[in-house]
Amino acid sequence: MQKLLISLSLCLLLTTAKAQQKIDRKAVVTRHNVNITKIDTLASLSVGNGTFAFTVDATGLQSFPDYYQAGVPLGTQSEWGWDAIPNTENYKFEETLRNFEQHGRQVPYSMQQKSPEHAAKAVEYFRANAHRLQLGNLGFELYKKNGALAQPSDIKNIKQMLNVWTGEIESSFTFEGTPVKVWTASHQEKDVIGVKVASDLMKKGQLKIRVRIPFPTMKWGDNGNLWKADLAYTSTLSNKSKNEAIINHKMDSITYNIGLKWKGNASIAKKVAHYFLLTPAKSNNFEFSCEFAPAHKGNLNIPDVAAVQTSSISAWEKFWKSGAAVDFSQCTDARAFELERRIVLSQYLTKLQCTGTEPPQETGLTYNSWYGKPHLEMHWWHGVHFPLWGRANLLEKSLPWYNKVYNNAKKIAERQGFDGVRWQKMTDPDGNEAPSSIGALLIWQQPHFITYAELMYRDHKDKATLNLYKKRVFATADFMASFAYYDKEQKRYILGPGVIPAQERFVAAETYNPTYELAYWNWALNTALEWKKRLGEPEVAKWKDVVTQLSKLPVQNNVYLATESATDSYTNPEYKTDHPSVFGTFGMLPETTLLDKKIMRNTFDLIWDTWSWKETWGWDFPMTAMTAARLGMPEKAVEALFMDVQTNTYLVNGHNYQEGRLPIYLPGNGGILTAVAMMCAGWDGTTENNPGFPKDGKWNVKWEGLEKMF
């Protein structure tokens, strides 16, 4: 008996020790290193530091930008890199304004319009300016023995690996039978690329380094390969020493420097305008670093390649050892390895592309979509996962920006006759509005700042946090309360008309009471009231009144409608496309006083079975998983993450592919991290482990460091 007790005690100790064993984070991360063996325009790889990114092709540099522009473009972008052309036609922002009647008032919104002609051109000017820049193209200029330039098909025997743990890319290939080895990484505190090259091609004079500066397209997209334009920009080369050179590039509203520093003998010369060649001496080894910086920053102090490597390795290891980790190696479900791959690469990509001091654009720092401008409703999807993964500081970096643009947001609210601040939708670093027929009338970005502030408070519950964010929280609540209209006949507050929901399928002038937005108004105003209580400040009567008398969530046939105004929410085919944003009501949001979980379950089942899933976006699948998890349907949560739809595709480099013009879509990457955090750690009120994963014995998910969602 005593032996049995000792044996049982030992088993218990071993089991406890195993349960407490920390995850081998390096093993989890490095088993998803990205390996490329061919020219694949959708397999571009990036290095960067959160405010700067540099994307390469299979050569380890940006050698074939024209070929890759149809896939994931070879971009070089930094959050400081913006330009605006002069307003020579004297366009006035007021020309973009169009009145909407809202409850007897004429409310001006900045809208796209086709006439009059000058106003239409004003709209396009303010949409396109400022625009984010592609700062420069840094690639190999490879010459065949006959003197012709290399084509992608000339690159053979490709072996390329992104070491996700250290942020280093190692590339090897052959060109006309001669091997080339390339190492690429990014400094983590400066916008600097480090490169090492080993090849006999340099001895033969067949390999040079090309620095070429593209023109901005000033169009919706910019892939960094517009080489000709009628713009009077200048690029001036100056040699600081035999091992350093500076290219000074002067544009309309910005001047910046591209600094080069190399080890060994080399020469640099201008080929044509905005096009320079760095020619290594006849050696088989060469290394150089390249820095991009605004000219007003003064003289460059370019780190050498060794410093870039040290910076990359140490900072990325620090990142991976911080916050949370999830390990699927003990899972036997066939989908587990792929889910882990998406999680690891999404952490890499969102850290690299989305952790600057401003909200990121949907395509990060790779190439422009929507002129390079961030969309504030997407900031939720870009950033909410960071606090849930124990890295609240990475979201917190961008929150001071809302102070910077506060006055512009206040002016929007004042212009429209509302209180507080109306946060912008499509904007720029200074918080200027971009005219948009949809964006101007969206409202679901308004409560987001309260979400961010509450996440910061949960991370560090102190009065200093409350005081830091209260001005923006309370101004947000002031707008929300004033935007809600009190219908005296029905004795309730309503949202709209004059609103477009997160599901952008409804006519603004006819739409009111979208379900998700009603729930978000309820949660955010209640949270603002709680902030007042935490600070010992008086309750705001108007906020309380709106919460108390806010319209109920619209129900028909025991399911929630998309909006109260759309009684054909599930019979009109158009209304079964785009985001199924009703799921945000109990997925992105916790259970509110407005919610009936039985009706939500009915709604989930109907949408799951009848939605046009092929006409959705990348973050819709994580949102669906979050709702399924909250409703106690873990099988559906996993199925949602693996729904066989093009916009739910995750490329070999980890990017969430949408379509040709959007081959990368970072809200999808952020979304999957938020969903998995909730599926593992749960949300307020959950007690079981891994509530979002099936209990069929196949999902033995190990995790550490995750935080609960609301």
Side-chain angles (χ1 to χ4, degrees):
M1 183 66 179
Q2 189 175 7
K3 288 183 179 180
L4 179 62
L5 288 172
I6 292 171
S7 178
L8 287 171
S9 298
L10 286 171
C11 287
L12 182 61
L13 285 170
L14 288 169
T15 302
T16 303
K18 187 175 180 181
Q20 293 175 345
Q21 187 177 11
K22 291 183 72 65
I23 290 171
D24 185 344
R25 295 183 176 217
K26 189 172 184 179
V28 172
V29 172
T30 56
R31 62 175 168 252
H32 301 291
N33 286 343
V34 181
N35 290 282
I36 307 297
T37 58
K38 62 181 180 179
I39 294 280
D40 179 354
T41 61
L42 290 175
S44 312
L45 300 176
S46 297
V47 293
N49 56 30
T51 63
F52 168 78
F54 181 78
T55 301
V56 305
D57 59 26
T59 68
L61 286 181
Q62 300 166 329
S63 303
F64 301 109
D66 295 337
Y67 188 76
Y68 272 73
Q69 64 90 27
V72 177
L74 308 180
T76 306
Q77 295 195 323
S78 176
E79 70 174 10
W80 54 259
W82 292 78
D83 186 41
I85 63 171
N87 186 359
T88 57
E89 300 300 317
N90 196 30
Y91 297 122
K92 304 293 186 184
F93 188 78
E94 289 73 21
E95 294 180 81
T96 74
L97 299 181
R98 175 182 163 196
N99 284 337
F100 266 78
E101 183 175 333
Q102 290 185 254
H103 305 292
R105 289 196 309 116
Q106 295 297 314
V107 181
Y109 289 87
S110 180
M111 307 281 289
Q112 290 163 278
Q113 44 198 296
K114 296 181 180 180
S115 63
E117 183 180 359
H118 198 266
K121 289 181 177 179
V123 164
E124 290 311 305
Y125 176 84
F126 289 111
R127 280 176 66 79
N129 292 282
H131 44 268
R132 196 187 301 262
L133 297 174
Q134 291 284 10
L135 298 174
N137 175 266
L138 188 65
F140 290 118
E141 199 130 293
L142 295 162
Y143 301 87
K144 295 182 180 181
K145 292 172 185 174
N146 65 8
L149 283 174
Q151 300 300 313
S153 58
D154 296 317
I155 308 302
K156 308 291 186 183
N157 303 310
I158 294 166
K159 290 184 179 179
Q160 186 178 52
M161 185 190 76
L162 166 63
N163 186 331
V164 187
W165 184 259
T166 62
E168 300 169 288
I169 299 173
E170 294 181 7
S171 312
S172 66
F173 58 93
T174 60
F175 176 65
E176 291 196 324
T178 302
V180 182
K181 290 186 177 180
V182 185
W183 173 94
T184 318
S186 171
H187 199 279
Q188 294 302 292
E189 295 176 5
K190 304 184 78 174
D191 295 352
V192 179
I193 296 300
V195 181
K196 301 176 190 177
V197 188
S199 178
D200 286 340
L201 289 174
M202 288 180 286
K203 283 184 177 180
K204 301 173 184 178
Q206 290 181 258
L207 184 152
K208 299 181 181 182
I209 312 299
R210 178 190 66 234
V211 182
R212 197 173 185 188
I213 305 172
F215 290 92
T217 66
M218 287 174 280
K219 295 181 179 179
W220 181 90
D222 190 341
N223 295 341
N225 68 324
L226 178 61
W227 309 120
K228 294 181 180 180
D230 186 20
L231 294 164
Y233 300 157
T234 60
S235 297
T236 306
L237 175 66
S238 60
N239 284 65
K240 290 180 63 180
S241 70
K242 68 174 186 177
N243 296 103
E244 286 191 36
I246 303 292
I247 301 167
N248 178 265
H249 187 62
K250 188 173 183 179
M251 303 180 67
D252 305 288
S253 63
I254 186 173
T255 300
Y256 65 91
N257 292 323
I258 302 174
L260 293 157
K261 180 176 184 177
W262 57 89
K263 187 176 181 180
N265 294 323
S267 62
I268 186 168
K270 177 180 175 179
K271 184 175 180 179
V272 294
H274 315 301
Y275 193 148
F276 304 86
L277 286 177
L278 175 63
T279 304
K282 293 190 175 181
S283 168
N284 57 7
N285 284 283
F286 185 66
E287 63 181 61
F288 69 95
S289 47
C290 180
E291 179 169 5
F292 299 83
H296 67 78
K297 292 287 187 180
N299 293 332
L300 298 180
N301 183 16
I302 308 168
D304 61 18
V305 171
V308 173
Q309 186 166 23
T310 298
S311 175
S312 183
I313 292 172
S314 61
W316 276 108
E317 285 189 353
K318 183 179 179 181
F319 169 77
W320 289 115
K321 289 177 180 178
S322 74
V326 181
D327 182 357
F328 287 81
S329 62
Q330 302 303 309
C331 301
T332 57
D333 190 287
R335 299 166 291 183
F337 185 84
E338 170 59 15
L339 182 55
E340 186 182 82
R341 183 187 78 88
R342 296 181 184 187
I343 291 166
V344 168
L345 295 182
S346 291
Q347 289 178 82
Y348 178 79
L349 291 169
T350 54
K351 165 62 176 70
L352 186 158
Q353 306 252 11
C354 304
T355 55
T357 59
E358 301 168 359
Q361 68 166 321
E362 295 181 24
T363 44
L365 294 164
T366 301
Y367 75 99
N368 282 7
S369 54
W370 289 279
Y371 309 92
K373 296 186 175 184
H375 294 169
L376 293 198
E377 85 280 17
M378 289 293 101
H379 197 193
W380 196 103
W381 292 101
H382 286 292
V384 162
H385 64 92
F386 287 121
L388 301 185
W389 282 76
R391 300 177 180 127
N393 60 303
L394 295 181
L395 172 60
E396 197 166 21
K397 285 173 63 179
S398 62
L399 299 187
W401 179 86
Y402 288 85
N403 257 343
K404 177 182 176 182
V405 306
Y406 181 93
N407 286 338
N408 277 350
K410 186 174 179 63
K411 287 176 183 176
I412 297 171
E414 289 174 348
R415 183 186 81 213
Q416 297 178 344
F418 299 116
D419 299 333
V421 294
R422 181 167 190 158
W423 298 113
Q424 303 83 338
K425 193 278 189 193
M426 178 176 160
T427 184
D428 64 19
D430 296 319
N432 296 307
E433 277 187 279
S436 171
S437 295
I438 291 175
L441 291 148
L442 284 183
I443 60 171
W444 67 289
Q445 76 272 28
Q446 300 308 323
H448 282 353
F449 190 84
I450 297 177
T451 295
Y452 311 146
E454 184 68 7
L455 286 168
M456 293 305 107
Y457 180 72
R458 287 164 71 102
D459 185 68
H460 26 87
K461 291 186 178 180
D462 53 42
K463 200 152 192 176
T465 302
L466 295 171
N467 285 325
L468 177 62
Y469 294 112
K470 69 176 185 179
K471 176 183 175 181
R472 285 163 286 174
V473 167
F474 296 159
T476 300
D478 284 338
F479 169 78
M480 293 173 63
S482 68
F483 184 83
Y485 174 77
Y486 186 68
D487 186 322
K488 293 180 181 178
E489 290 185 9
Q490 300 188 51
K491 296 182 179 179
R492 61 170 182 158
Y493 284 95
I494 64 175
L495 303 181
V499 65
I500 292 180
Q503 184 188 355
E504 299 171 3
R505 288 292 186 266
F506 300 92
V507 178
E510 302 170 359
T511 301
Y512 61 93
N513 281 347
T515 298
Y516 164 59
E517 283 79 356
L518 281 172
Y520 210 174
W521 248 242
N522 174 280
W523 178 85
L525 286 173
N526 271 322
T527 302
L529 287 164
E530 182 63 24
W531 273 56
K532 283 288 186 181
K533 189 182 299 183
R534 290 167 184 165
L535 285 160
E537 296 184 9
E539 183 176 89
V540 178
K542 180 63 182 292
W543 303 354
K544 185 70 173 180
D545 190 46
V546 172
V547 167
T548 303
Q549 299 187 76
L550 190 63
S551 295
K552 295 180 180 179
L553 304 184
V555 178
Q556 179 178 276
N557 297 328
N558 217 26
V559 297
Y560 287 123
L561 295 170
T563 78
E564 185 176 335
S565 50
T567 56
D568 54 348
S569 291
Y570 304 109
T571 55
N572 185 334
E574 184 182 0
Y575 295 165
K576 295 192 289 183
T577 64
D578 197 52
H579 311 296
S581 58
V582 173
F583 285 169
T585 307
F586 191 51
M588 297 169 70
L589 295 174
E591 183 176 357
T592 65
T593 54
L594 298 178
L595 187 80
D596 184 313
K597 284 192 283 190
K598 289 183 179 178
I599 296 175
M600 194 70 224
R601 173 61 188 264
N602 295 338
T603 309
F604 183 94
D605 291 341
L606 178 64
I607 291 175
W608 182 272
D609 291 336
T610 65
W611 204 256
S612 297
W613 289 105
K614 291 184 178 180
E615 297 181 72
T616 51
W617 294 71
W619 55 267
D620 293 327
F621 308 99
M623 179 175 65
T624 302
M626 290 150 59
T627 303
R630 287 192 192 265
L631 287 170
M633 298 186 288
E635 295 84 2
K636 282 287 192 289
V638 174
E639 287 179 36
L641 294 181
F642 284 94
M643 202 175 290
D644 186 16
V645 178
Q646 177 176 289
T647 50
N648 199 32
T649 299
Y650 285 79
L651 302 171
V652 65
N653 52 21
H655 277 297
N656 179 209
Y657 180 87
Q658 302 297 287
E659 59 182 7
R661 73 170 188 159
L662 277 175
I664 70 173
Y665 187 64
L666 287 156
N669 296 99
I672 200 169
L673 294 175
T674 300
V676 169
M678 291 176 61
M679 291 164 70
C680 290
W683 47 92
D684 290 349
T686 54
T687 55
E688 65 175 301
N689 192 42
N690 297 329
F693 287 97
K695 304 300 183 286
D696 56 5
K698 296 181 179 181
W699 289 97
N700 181 21
V701 184
K702 294 167 60 180
W703 57 269
E704 60 192 28
L706 293 170
E707 302 292 339
K708 288 181 184 288
M709 184 50 161
F710 306 137

